[in-house]
């Protein structure tokens, strides 16, 4: 029953996953919270590990959550669940999209999805950066998180440092600061 539930939940997430992996994290967080499968801290650690691993963060997070909840069969159920909708949609959409991709209404609908995707990414960033929003936001952890995040942003945008280097340096800063 649990494997079927994992499969169905991640399949639902897979059907609604617009905007890439980070935009999907908020949906995964919602579903995992509804069932009480993971603590906010455990979810944050899983997402951090999924983000540092090669591949899609959504697939990696699904695999780690499934593994945490139901072992290897849970990981397989979650992976198949989150990948299957994309496979089905891509096969069907590719058949029709080539014929209509130049129509203005198609372009406008894609432009309309951009703000939603940005909102989902901001939501995920807030909940990953500040997992416990019940206490005071003004503490050492918040300051350190903002410093590391700000330095990472400036390093990538202004100084064009490779993201892998920034990830490594951020991990080192986390070891020192936390």
């Amino acid at each position: 029953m649990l494997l079927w539930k994992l499969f169905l939940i991640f399949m639902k997430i897979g059907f609604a996953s617009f905007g890439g992996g980070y935009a999907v994290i908020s949906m995964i967080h919602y579903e995992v919270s509804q069932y009480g499968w993971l603590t906010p801290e455990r979810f944050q650690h899983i997402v951090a590990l999924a983000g540092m691993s090669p591949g899609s963060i959504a697939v990696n997070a699904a695999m780690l959550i499934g593994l945490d909840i139901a072992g290897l069969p849970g990981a397989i159920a979650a992976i198949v669940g989150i990948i299957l909708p994309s496979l089905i949609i891509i096969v069907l959409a590719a058949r029709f999209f080539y014929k209509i991709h130049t129509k203005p209404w198609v372009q406008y609908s894609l432009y309309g999805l951009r703000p939603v995707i940005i909102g989902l990414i901001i939501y995920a960033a807030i909940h990953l950066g500040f997992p416990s929003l019940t206490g005071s936001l003004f503490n050492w952890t918040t300051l350190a998180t903002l410093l590391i995040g700000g330095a990472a942003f400036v390093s990538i945008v202004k100084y064009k440092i490779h993201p892998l280097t920034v990830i490594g340096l951020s991990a080192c800063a986390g070891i020192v600061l936390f």
Side-chain angles (χ1 to χ4, degrees):
M1 185 66 174
L2 180 60
L3 295 177
W4 184 245
K5 188 176 282 190
L6 274 168
F7 172 77
L8 290 177
I9 286 170
F10 280 102
M11 191 164 93
K12 179 173 71 172
I13 292 168
F15 271 119
S17 61
F18 293 99
Y22 284 98
V24 176
I25 294 301
S26 61
M27 287 183 269
I28 294 174
H29 181 259
Y30 176 81
E31 293 293 340
V32 168
S33 297
Q34 291 294 339
Y35 290 98
W37 284 337
L38 301 172
T39 65
E41 292 77 21
R42 182 70 180 142
F43 180 77
Q44 184 182 23
H45 291 148
I46 284 176
V47 172
L49 182 58
M52 293 187 303
S53 303
S56 163
I57 188 171
V59 174
N60 291 343
M63 184 267 305
L64 291 169
I65 290 167
L67 188 66
D68 201 67
I69 294 169
L72 184 60
I76 293 168
I79 289 170
V80 172
I82 203 161
I83 290 174
L84 189 60
S86 296
L87 179 64
I88 293 168
I89 291 170
I90 288 172
V91 168
L92 294 175
R95 186 169 181 191
F96 300 107
F97 190 71
Y98 184 74
K99 296 177 182 177
I100 64 169
H101 76 281
T102 57
K103 303 239 185 260
W105 66 271
V106 172
Q107 295 297 316
Y108 299 150
S109 67
L110 294 175
Y111 291 139
L113 288 174
R114 289 181 183 172
V116 172
I117 293 164
I118 292 169
L120 289 171
I121 292 170
I122 290 170
Y123 172 87
I126 289 170
H127 284 276
L128 290 175
F130 311 104
S132 178
L133 294 175
T134 57
S136 172
L137 282 179
F138 301 106
N139 56 40
W140 171 249
T141 304
T142 302
L143 179 63
T145 300
L146 292 173
L147 286 173
I148 293 171
F153 180 78
V154 169
S155 298
I156 292 171
V157 173
K158 184 174 182 183
Y159 297 109
K160 308 291 186 227
I161 297 174
H162 194 279
L164 288 177
T165 304
V166 174
I167 290 170
L169 292 172
S170 296
C172 293
I175 291 169
V176 171
L177 296 174
F178 296 103

